[in-house]
Amino acid sequence: MPIDRTTGARLVAIVCTAQVFVQIGAFYWPALMPQMMRHWSLTNSEAGWITSSFYAAYMLSVPVLVTLTDRIDAKRVYLFGVGCTLIAHLAFGLLADGFWSAMALRGLAGIGWAGTYMTGLKLLADQVDAKMMSRAVTGHAASIGISGAVSYVLGDFLASEFGWRWAFASAGLTAAIAWITVALAVPGRPPPAPRPGAQPALFDFRPVLRNRSAFAYSLAYCVHTLEMNALRGWGVAFLAWVAVHSGMTGELLSPTVVITVLGLLGTLTSVLGNEASIRFGRRRLIVGAMVLSIAVGLLLGFVGSKGYWLAVVLIVVYGMIIWLDSSSLTAGAAGSADPARRGATLAVHSMLGYAGGFVGPLAIGWTLDAAGGMSPLAWGLAFGVVAILMALAMMVFVAIRPRELEGDRGG
């Protein structure tokens, strides 16, 4: 049975705070990627592989870890994920020395993300009521967004002051704070019992795939995450290249600061987007965000390289549009799920999302190398590939026409 509103709000606050601490180092790698590419003499494709290994490991482990929360307490799985994150960041700071070790340790961090991101959401979904769930999802996404945004500027600052090894190792210490917080402050709770005579097989995903409404939100989330992680993974590198290409390497708002601001504004946009979904309709908000992201993504790729400040404006606008439907998509999948299969539904949702997240950074890196390296045309083609994939996703989403949620306009 869901807990009362006051206790539920306290639980949401604790879990969201823990998420900030555990995820704070998640984007130190893309923040520091330009200097690490020089330090280790990495190609664009190799840098893309290191970035994507995080999402590949997430994609492979999330069906197991999140689905397990339909049988065992989500808190236990969450603490396992925090432990993986702690080890991955500490080991990266102490041991990483090139392409293979970096890729392996970023993969372990991806397993940690799989054990904390959707698992933290499932922990909340099991304990708050249906009307509070949409806003709990939004608050949870906001905590991830805040930590992701701060990652860029904090990682850059720590690396500048203490070296990149200390920057990564410090992320292990903040993960330890998250582990202790959840272990001591979050109550354990068994997952909801299935309906009588309806005990589902644990890893039988067929009923989830037959849920057309939830699956439509998850397919859209796949390409949404592809687009988001392409920008997260390459945003700093793109802005750094534009600064050099346009001859503006003096007193500039640094690329890491720009991406931090983008992350914070994107988080706010995600919260406002979910409220707009409730007020105006979820499908309408999501399709509108898709149309805008296609247009602005193409503009960023083909026009953004003409000047640094133009690139800054376009990349911030593009990022805010990408984030606009982030919470709406995840809330749509969670709210459309059978409660007894919510863990499996979120596992499929997350697996599809981070399959896209795996492809996004690689698609940018491959396109840049295929086009002969970073150039105005190469960047235009790279963002053009992302826009084409989003257009295909939008057509599928419109064709399936998922339902609105309880509390949405028309729901």
Side-chain angles (χ1 to χ4, degrees), residues 121 125 133 137 214 217 329-339 342 345-346 349 405:
L121 178 58
M133 185 185 299
V137 170
Y217 286 114
L329 289 166
T330 299
S336 298
D338 176 350
R342 187 170 285 126
T345 301
L346 288 175
H349 179 78
L405 302 186

Side-chain angles (χ1 to χ4, degrees), residues 37 120 130-131 193 205 223 281 312 338 403:
M37 288 177 71
K131 291 185 178 179
F205 296 109
V223 184
V312 167
D338 176 350
R403 68 177 176 84

Side-chain angles (χ1 to χ4, degrees), residues 10-31:
R10 177 177 175 273
L11 176 65
V12 171
I14 292 171
V15 172
C16 290
T17 301
Q19 292 289 48
V20 171
F21 280 102
V22 75
Q23 309 293 7
I24 193 69
F27 300 109
Y28 283 6
W29 166 257

Side-chain angles (χ1 to χ4, degrees), residues 243-319:
V244 174
H245 177 71
S246 60
M248 296 179 64
T249 55
E251 293 297 320
L252 294 174
L253 192 63
S254 79
T256 53
V257 171
V258 173
I259 301 302
T260 295
V261 171
L262 163 60
L264 294 173
L265 291 175
T267 299
L268 175 62
T269 306
S270 178
V271 173
L272 296 176
N274 187 66
E275 293 299 314
S277 292
I278 295 171
R279 183 177 296 271
F280 302 112
R282 197 163 299 268
R283 289 193 304 267
R284 183 180 301 173
L285 183 282
I286 291 168
V287 172
M290 288 176 163
V291 171
L292 288 173
S293 74
I294 293 166
V296 178
L298 289 171
L299 194 63
L300 172 65
F302 286 103
V303 179
S305 60
K306 295 186 180 296
Y308 185 78
W309 292 111
L310 176 61
V312 167
V313 171
L314 287 175
I315 207 168
V316 169
V317 172
Y318 183 45

